[in-house]
Amino acid sequence: MENDLKQKAISGLTWSFFDGFAFHGSNFVISIILARILSPKEFGLIGMLTIFIAISNSIIISGLSRALIRKNNCTQKDYSTVFFYNIVSGVILYFILFFLSGTISSFFSEPLLKPLMQVFGISLIFNSFGIVPETILIKKIEFRIQARVSLISSFFCGTIAIGMALYGFGVWSLVSFSVSRFVFRSLFLWIWSSWRPSWEFSKNSFRELFGYSYKLLFSSLLDITYRNIYYLIIGKFFSATELGYYSKAEQFGSLPSMYLNNLFSRVSFSVLSEVQGDKKRLRDIYGKLHRSMMLFTFTIMLGIAAVAKPLVLVLIGEKWMPAVIFIQLLCFAGIFFPLNSLNLNILLIHGRSDIYLFLEVVKKILVVPIIIAGINFGIKIMILGLIVNALIAFVLNSFFSNKFINYTFFDQLRYIFPSFMVAAVVSASMFAIVEFVHVSPLALLMISMLFGSVFSFILFELFKINDYIFIKENLIRKFKSRIFKNEDSELV
């Protein structure tokens, strides 16, 4: 049983990695190409609409996906009930945004936002069709199909968007990218998923699932608003161009941590849910996931902060240089995203969505002075406030998760400190190379990244960091099992 769960977690993480890489990686590449063609202002216009789409999607999902994953004996009636709720709420929310598009346009004093929202909002309907099929795959820890879906759907929507950008459609190419992404993703999830809804909606099933998830809905709304309120503030009090710089910086500075968060969070929630009654095993598995996740997070996020300048110059060009300082600051804020998410998962698998909601309310109240400071002192001060807020959130989340797994805030710091120190030393060295070596941006980026990779490997091997050893041994074991399996197949 122990080995089965361990193998399931490792396999899930492996395929979740490929799924996340296919989805986020391909989208990142497409976004880079579009950034070289389009202007920061056009990205800023889409950024102004982001909060409305994000909140709407949160209402459509309503925490019901997590409720389905957590429930051990889900029935066809449960899945169908959630499916039809998703569809109906998606349609209703689209029409709400359609009729509010004029008000949104007036709020930002950007006339083009009205038609943009009316088309962009269609993505809500298409997204609602794929939520339950994807949830079932996550529940089964089956990420192989999701990786395939992510890769192919990204190819199609990217081709459409890049083609439109090259033919001069401007900001509409960004809208087409977002809408077509949901269209193709839902379509391919249906093609490769064996599940089909039945024509039934159970009030009892909905009441049971929503009884767990409604607190998650409010928590999610608070979190989505918190993470996107800066788009609203910058778009209102600054300009579309500055919002464009911020949105692109967030992609560089936050996307890697969000990807790592999704990678570990999806697997951890499913795996930890299976051992929620065994406190010792729960703590042990949580600890391994926690330390492995933070080794990757520290290494990647601090590395990106160090090479932000040549990275921007090489990938999207000099016109985006004002985004560099935003990227560096957001990398430090992003370090805490996966850490906080994993702590909150402990509350969710124990059914304590009430504590989850309480924490979200407290943390979001603390955002108010950050917003005020940002309006008065600028975007950089606002991001510094984000870093402080993320640190406070870590302290609060770990305090409450400790009650369920006996894994204190200081335990967490002690176990991840070696990985942090290695990443910090490597990052500082990479930053020194960027500042004092005078070569072309491409050569500088390659030199600093190669140095960082080799130096990290040397330090991890030299000091025998436990988290690194654990990851290396499992990867080697996985690789050998693949080799021997293939050899056996050839012999047969």
Short mmCIF file of all heavy atoms in Angstrom, two decimals, residues 2 10 14 24 30 32 62 67 80 87 141 185 200 202 206 216 232 235 252 271-272 282-283 346 359 362 454 463:
data_model
loop_
_atom_site.label_atom_id
_atom_site.label_comp_id
_atom_site.label_asym_id
_atom_site.label_seq_id
_atom_site.Cartn_x
_atom_site.Cartn_y
_atom_site.Cartn_z
N GLU A 2 1.92 1.24 0.85
CA GLU A 2 2.82 2.39 0.95
C GLU A 2 3.54 2.63 -0.38
O GLU A 2 3.63 3.76 -0.86
CB GLU A 2 3.85 2.13 2.06
CG GLU A 2 4.84 3.27 2.26
CD GLU A 2 4.21 4.48 2.93
OE1 GLU A 2 3.31 4.27 3.77
OE2 GLU A 2 4.61 5.61 2.59
N ILE A 10 4.70 9.69 -7.40
CA ILE A 10 5.81 9.98 -8.31
C ILE A 10 5.33 10.01 -9.76
O ILE A 10 5.69 10.90 -10.53
CB ILE A 10 6.94 8.94 -8.13
CG1 ILE A 10 7.56 9.08 -6.74
CG2 ILE A 10 8.00 9.11 -9.21
CD1 ILE A 10 8.54 7.99 -6.38
N THR A 14 5.29 13.21 -12.20
CA THR A 14 5.98 13.16 -13.49
C THR A 14 5.07 13.63 -14.62
O THR A 14 5.44 14.50 -15.41
CB THR A 14 6.47 11.73 -13.78
OG1 THR A 14 7.32 11.30 -12.72
CG2 THR A 14 7.23 11.68 -15.10
N HIS A 24 1.72 25.44 -19.72
CA HIS A 24 2.35 26.72 -19.40
C HIS A 24 3.53 27.02 -20.31
O HIS A 24 3.74 28.17 -20.71
CB HIS A 24 2.80 26.74 -17.93
CG HIS A 24 1.67 26.68 -16.96
ND1 HIS A 24 0.77 27.72 -16.80
CD2 HIS A 24 1.27 25.71 -16.09
CE1 HIS A 24 -0.12 27.39 -15.89
NE2 HIS A 24 0.16 26.18 -15.44
N ILE A 30 4.29 31.02 -26.90
CA ILE A 30 3.35 31.77 -27.76
C ILE A 30 3.26 33.22 -27.31
O ILE A 30 3.26 34.15 -28.13
CB ILE A 30 1.96 31.11 -27.72
CG1 ILE A 30 2.03 29.72 -28.36
CG2 ILE A 30 0.92 31.96 -28.45
CD1 ILE A 30 0.84 28.84 -28.04
N ILE A 32 5.54 34.93 -25.78
CA ILE A 32 6.80 35.60 -26.14
C ILE A 32 6.75 36.08 -27.59
O ILE A 32 7.13 37.21 -27.91
CB ILE A 32 8.00 34.66 -25.93
CG1 ILE A 32 8.21 34.38 -24.44
CG2 ILE A 32 9.26 35.25 -26.54
CD1 ILE A 32 8.44 35.60 -23.60
N SER A 62 -16.53 27.06 -8.39
CA SER A 62 -17.16 27.11 -7.06
C SER A 62 -16.60 26.13 -6.04
O SER A 62 -17.30 25.74 -5.10
CB SER A 62 -18.67 26.87 -7.19
OG SER A 62 -19.28 27.94 -7.87
N ALA A 67 -14.27 19.45 -4.10
CA ALA A 67 -15.21 18.61 -3.35
C ALA A 67 -15.32 17.23 -3.99
O ALA A 67 -15.39 16.21 -3.29
CB ALA A 67 -16.58 19.29 -3.33
N SER A 80 -22.59 14.54 -12.86
CA SER A 80 -23.55 15.18 -13.76
C SER A 80 -24.12 16.44 -13.14
O SER A 80 -24.34 17.45 -13.82
CB SER A 80 -24.68 14.20 -14.11
OG SER A 80 -24.18 13.08 -14.81
N ILE A 87 -22.24 24.50 -16.55
CA ILE A 87 -22.75 25.02 -17.82
C ILE A 87 -23.69 26.20 -17.60
O ILE A 87 -23.55 27.26 -18.23
CB ILE A 87 -23.49 23.92 -18.61
CG1 ILE A 87 -22.55 22.74 -18.90
CG2 ILE A 87 -24.07 24.49 -19.92
CD1 ILE A 87 -21.37 23.10 -19.76
N ILE A 141 -5.45 10.82 -10.69
CA ILE A 141 -4.03 11.12 -10.84
C ILE A 141 -3.56 10.68 -12.23
O ILE A 141 -2.49 10.08 -12.41
CB ILE A 141 -3.18 10.47 -9.72
CG1 ILE A 141 -3.86 10.63 -8.35
CG2 ILE A 141 -1.80 11.11 -9.64
CD1 ILE A 141 -3.06 10.05 -7.20
N ARG A 185 -9.19 23.09 -25.52
CA ARG A 185 -8.92 22.27 -24.32
C ARG A 185 -10.16 21.47 -23.93
O ARG A 185 -10.07 20.28 -23.66
CB ARG A 185 -8.47 23.18 -23.17
CG ARG A 185 -8.02 22.38 -21.94
CD ARG A 185 -7.30 23.25 -20.93
NE ARG A 185 -6.87 22.48 -19.78
CZ ARG A 185 -5.79 21.75 -19.72
NH1 ARG A 185 -4.98 21.69 -20.77
NH2 ARG A 185 -5.46 21.08 -18.63
N GLU A 200 -29.31 14.30 -15.47
CA GLU A 200 -29.85 14.34 -14.10
C GLU A 200 -29.14 15.42 -13.30
O GLU A 200 -27.96 15.69 -13.48
CB GLU A 200 -29.70 12.98 -13.43
CG GLU A 200 -28.28 12.45 -13.40
CD GLU A 200 -28.18 11.07 -12.80
OE1 GLU A 200 -29.08 10.68 -12.02
OE2 GLU A 200 -27.20 10.37 -13.10
N SER A 202 -29.10 16.40 -9.20
CA SER A 202 -29.56 16.02 -7.86
C SER A 202 -29.38 17.17 -6.88
O SER A 202 -28.26 17.62 -6.65
CB SER A 202 -28.77 14.79 -7.38
OG SER A 202 -29.02 14.55 -6.01
N PHE A 206 -25.92 18.14 -4.93
CA PHE A 206 -25.40 19.50 -4.97
C PHE A 206 -25.28 20.09 -3.57
O PHE A 206 -24.29 20.75 -3.24
CB PHE A 206 -26.30 20.39 -5.82
CG PHE A 206 -25.80 21.80 -5.97
CD1 PHE A 206 -24.77 22.10 -6.86
CD2 PHE A 206 -26.33 22.84 -5.21
CE1 PHE A 206 -24.29 23.39 -7.00
CE2 PHE A 206 -25.86 24.13 -5.33
CZ PHE A 206 -24.84 24.40 -6.24
N LEU A 216 -14.95 27.34 0.08
CA LEU A 216 -13.85 27.42 -0.89
C LEU A 216 -14.15 28.43 -1.98
O LEU A 216 -13.25 29.10 -2.48
CB LEU A 216 -13.61 26.05 -1.53
CG LEU A 216 -13.21 24.90 -0.60
CD1 LEU A 216 -12.90 23.66 -1.43
CD2 LEU A 216 -12.03 25.29 0.27
N LEU A 232 -6.51 45.82 -11.82
CA LEU A 232 -7.57 46.83 -11.74
C LEU A 232 -7.00 48.18 -11.31
O LEU A 232 -7.29 49.22 -11.91
CB LEU A 232 -8.64 46.36 -10.74
CG LEU A 232 -9.94 47.16 -10.70
CD1 LEU A 232 -10.78 46.87 -11.94
CD2 LEU A 232 -10.73 46.80 -9.45
N GLY A 235 -4.51 49.58 -14.01
CA GLY A 235 -5.27 50.01 -15.18
C GLY A 235 -6.05 51.29 -14.95
O GLY A 235 -6.19 52.12 -15.84
N PHE A 252 6.62 36.41 -16.31
CA PHE A 252 7.99 35.96 -16.06
C PHE A 252 8.23 35.66 -14.59
O PHE A 252 8.89 34.66 -14.27
CB PHE A 252 8.98 37.04 -16.51
CG PHE A 252 9.28 37.04 -17.98
CD1 PHE A 252 8.53 37.82 -18.84
CD2 PHE A 252 10.29 36.28 -18.51
CE1 PHE A 252 8.80 37.85 -20.20
CE2 PHE A 252 10.57 36.29 -19.86
CZ PHE A 252 9.82 37.07 -20.72
N VAL A 271 -3.20 12.74 -3.44
CA VAL A 271 -2.44 11.75 -2.67
C VAL A 271 -2.66 11.91 -1.17
O VAL A 271 -2.92 10.93 -0.46
CB VAL A 271 -0.93 11.87 -2.99
CG1 VAL A 271 -0.11 10.99 -2.06
CG2 VAL A 271 -0.67 11.49 -4.44
N LEU A 272 -2.59 13.15 -0.67
CA LEU A 272 -2.78 13.37 0.76
C LEU A 272 -4.20 13.03 1.20
O LEU A 272 -4.42 12.63 2.35
CB LEU A 272 -2.45 14.82 1.11
CG LEU A 272 -0.98 15.23 0.95
CD1 LEU A 272 -0.81 16.73 1.19
CD2 LEU A 272 -0.07 14.44 1.86
N LEU A 282 0.66 11.06 6.78
CA LEU A 282 0.31 12.35 6.19
C LEU A 282 1.46 13.34 6.37
O LEU A 282 1.85 14.04 5.43
CB LEU A 282 -0.96 12.89 6.85
CG LEU A 282 -1.52 14.21 6.31
CD1 LEU A 282 -1.95 14.07 4.85
CD2 LEU A 282 -2.71 14.67 7.15
N ARG A 283 2.01 13.38 7.57
CA ARG A 283 3.12 14.29 7.85
C ARG A 283 4.35 13.92 7.02
O ARG A 283 5.04 14.79 6.49
CB ARG A 283 3.46 14.25 9.34
CG ARG A 283 4.53 15.25 9.76
CD ARG A 283 4.89 15.07 11.23
NE ARG A 283 5.74 16.15 11.71
CZ ARG A 283 7.05 16.21 11.55
NH1 ARG A 283 7.68 15.24 10.90
NH2 ARG A 283 7.74 17.23 12.04
N ILE A 346 -3.61 21.03 3.42
CA ILE A 346 -3.77 20.24 4.64
C ILE A 346 -5.12 20.54 5.29
O ILE A 346 -5.81 19.64 5.79
CB ILE A 346 -2.63 20.53 5.63
CG1 ILE A 346 -1.29 20.05 5.07
CG2 ILE A 346 -2.89 19.90 6.99
CD1 ILE A 346 -1.21 18.56 4.84
N LEU A 359 -8.77 32.32 7.03
CA LEU A 359 -7.42 32.77 6.68
C LEU A 359 -7.43 33.69 5.46
O LEU A 359 -6.70 34.69 5.41
CB LEU A 359 -6.53 31.56 6.41
CG LEU A 359 -6.07 30.76 7.64
CD1 LEU A 359 -5.37 29.48 7.21
CD2 LEU A 359 -5.17 31.60 8.52
N VAL A 362 -8.64 37.18 6.52
CA VAL A 362 -7.61 37.90 7.27
C VAL A 362 -6.51 38.41 6.35
O VAL A 362 -6.11 39.58 6.41
CB VAL A 362 -7.00 37.00 8.37
CG1 VAL A 362 -5.79 37.69 9.01
CG2 VAL A 362 -8.05 36.69 9.44
N VAL A 454 25.49 24.46 -13.45
CA VAL A 454 26.66 23.69 -13.01
C VAL A 454 26.97 23.96 -11.55
O VAL A 454 27.24 23.03 -10.76
CB VAL A 454 27.88 24.03 -13.89
CG1 VAL A 454 29.14 23.35 -13.34
CG2 VAL A 454 27.64 23.59 -15.33
N PHE A 463 27.25 19.32 -0.65
CA PHE A 463 26.65 19.38 0.69
C PHE A 463 25.60 18.30 0.93
O PHE A 463 24.99 18.26 2.00
CB PHE A 463 26.05 20.77 0.92
CG PHE A 463 27.07 21.87 1.00
CD1 PHE A 463 27.28 22.73 -0.06
CD2 PHE A 463 27.84 22.02 2.14
CE1 PHE A 463 28.23 23.74 0.00
CE2 PHE A 463 28.80 23.02 2.22
CZ PHE A 463 29.00 23.88 1.15
#
